[in-house]
Amino acid sequence: MQIKQLNHAGWENNLQLANDKAELIISLDVGPRILSYKTPRTENVLKTYPEQLGKAGENEWMIRGGHRLWVAPEDEALTYVPDNVSVNYDLGAPNEVKLINAGVEPWKIKKEMTVSLADNTSQVTIVHRIINEGSAPIEAASWGLSVMIPGGLEIIPHPPLGVHPRDLLPNRLMIIWPYTNLTDPRWRFGESFITLRQTANAGQPTKLGLAHKQKWIGYLTRDSLFIKTIEYQEGATYPDYGCNFETFTNQDMLEIESLGPLKKLAPGESVSHTERWHLFGEIPEPHSLQEPELAAWLAPFLKEAGL
């Protein structure tokens, strides 16, 4: 495992974390933001917006792409605070970097994203933390958003089906956004999985959220399988009526989003959550996307990811 500084995407200051299995590139000129995640012989699975790369100092928030840390619930004033300035960073453990974006007026919410890459696997661990550095309490949650490259298939596992009349109580919660049409052909609601395909000819954006206790989400691209693991804390209150996972897609990209617990933060208090990534490159395509065949194809990758 090595960490070095390099030029990337028009920015002079970036960190590369790399081993024989995977490479991460993190911007130090804006953010905190991860710009790239790839294996040695496959493409970056995170989408970036070329027209926004290499720039800084804009007065309005810029998506840029990659993986970012936001503040939930979504609010035009609180969430879309520009992150267009350089970040401070600290190299802690040999394979770890902490990225720090100081809070700005009027909210003064400090953002910290601690990123580590395993020594001998593609596993990435990301701790997202927001700290209230203001003078008044604020209710908020940490929010991690991965902007994925177009053309992929998102795979969202269901909990196992129950049996009536034994299982009388509900075991899943789904939140639907006002612009989401459940007849949209990008969605498929199966017995074992929900799948969402990113397509360039899509019409209206679509978004869905879950109280997700199945731990993982997958994204299948042309040559890679990305797996993100997501925490769920029993008894915690989550944003958006209880979502620890949300997903959004439009004609450009698909976002896989994790959310931490929603808490009222007194001045000086913080809230955080952790997600882990795994990336498998140069893999054979599944023979079928029918559920039994897809589940069998996924099984060895999930086992290698410890799921």
Side-chain angles (χ1 to χ4, degrees), residues 130-193:
I130 58 172
I131 304 103
N132 180 8
E133 293 191 325
S135 58
I138 188 167
E139 189 171 54
S142 50
W143 189 3
L145 301 93
S146 301
V147 182
M148 311 305 297
I149 58 173
L153 179 72
E154 185 179 25
I155 305 164
I156 307 164
H158 278 309
L161 282 178
V163 177
H164 186 273
R166 183 193 67 195
D167 302 304
L168 297 177
L169 298 178
N171 69 341
R172 64 196 79 178
L173 181 146
M174 181 184 297
I175 302 300
I176 310 298
W177 266 251
Y179 48 84
T180 297
N181 181 351
L182 293 180
T183 66
D184 187 324
R186 290 172 291 181
W187 291 106
R188 180 178 178 185
F189 296 88
E191 179 179 319
S192 300
F193 305 108

Side-chain angles (χ1 to χ4, degrees), residues 18-297:
N19 60 26
D20 291 340
K21 300 293 185 180
E23 174 200 82
L24 284 173
I25 297 179
I26 302 167
S27 173
L28 300 177
D29 288 331
V30 294
R33 193 176 296 269
I34 299 171
L35 300 172
S36 178
Y37 181 45
K38 62 188 291 294
T39 68
R41 289 177 293 277
T42 58
E43 65 182 331
N44 178 17
V45 296
L46 300 176
K47 175 185 169 58
T48 55
Y49 289 73
E51 69 278 8
Q52 298 182 18
L53 302 182
K55 300 178 182 179
E58 299 94 340
N59 291 325
E60 61 184 14
W61 179 81
M62 310 297 292
I63 186 171
R64 299 198 204 278
H67 177 84
R68 67 186 186 271
L69 170 56
W70 249 8
V71 178
E74 190 166 1
D75 175 86
E76 287 188 9
L78 180 62
T79 306
Y80 289 84
V81 173
D83 53 2
N84 302 326
V85 298
S86 60
V87 299
N88 295 317
Y89 72 99
D90 177 41
L91 297 177
N95 60 345
E96 179 182 282
V97 58
K98 178 187 285 188
L99 308 157
I100 304 163
N101 184 323
V104 298
E105 298 289 354
W107 308 107
K108 299 207 72 173
I109 295 180
K110 180 180 178 181
K111 298 176 182 177
E112 293 183 352
M113 193 158 71
T114 303
V115 183
S116 61
L117 175 63
D119 288 331
N120 301 308
T121 73
S122 67
Q123 179 176 294
V124 176
T125 302
I126 306 172
V127 181
H128 310 81
R129 183 180 303 277
I130 58 172
I131 304 103
N132 180 8
E133 293 191 325
S135 58
I138 188 167
E139 189 171 54
S142 50
W143 189 3
L145 301 93
S146 301
V147 182
M148 311 305 297
I149 58 173
L153 179 72
E154 185 179 25
I155 305 164
I156 307 164
H158 278 309
L161 282 178
V163 177
H164 186 273
R166 183 193 67 195
D167 302 304
L168 297 177
L169 298 178
N171 69 341
R172 64 196 79 178
L173 181 146
M174 181 184 297
I175 302 300
I176 310 298
W177 266 251
Y179 48 84
T180 297
N181 181 351
L182 293 180
T183 66
D184 187 324
R186 290 172 291 181
W187 291 106
R188 180 178 178 185
F189 296 88
E191 179 179 319
S192 300
F193 305 108
I194 301 170
T195 60
L196 175 60
R197 186 172 291 281
Q198 197 287 326
T199 61
N201 60 354
Q204 179 121 323
T206 188
K207 183 170 182 176
L208 175 149
L210 300 173
H212 189 60
K213 304 180 184 181
Q214 301 308 109
K215 298 184 178 180
W216 65 273
I217 303 292
Y219 192 70
L220 179 61
T221 73
R222 290 181 292 272
D223 60 4
S224 301
L225 174 65
F226 170 82
I227 294 175
K228 175 186 288 199
T229 68
I230 294 177
E231 301 174 330
Y232 184 85
Q233 297 181 25
E234 293 288 349
T237 299
Y238 284 96
D240 301 331
Y241 301 108
C243 297
N244 69 319
F245 160 74
E246 296 173 3
T247 188
F248 169 90
T249 190
N250 60 20
Q251 72 276 10
D252 297 322
M253 54 78 174
L254 182 145
E255 286 183 336
I256 304 176
E257 311 172 5
S258 66
L259 298 98
L262 183 65
K263 292 187 177 180
K264 191 167 186 178
L265 304 177
E269 290 187 332
S270 67
V271 66
S272 67
H273 76 284
T274 301
E275 59 183 56
R276 291 179 173 83
W277 299 354
H278 304 267
L279 188 59
F280 304 93
E282 298 182 294
I283 56 176
E285 294 184 2
H287 296 300
S288 170
L289 294 179
Q290 297 300 310
E291 290 199 335
E293 291 84 358
L294 181 59
W297 181 85

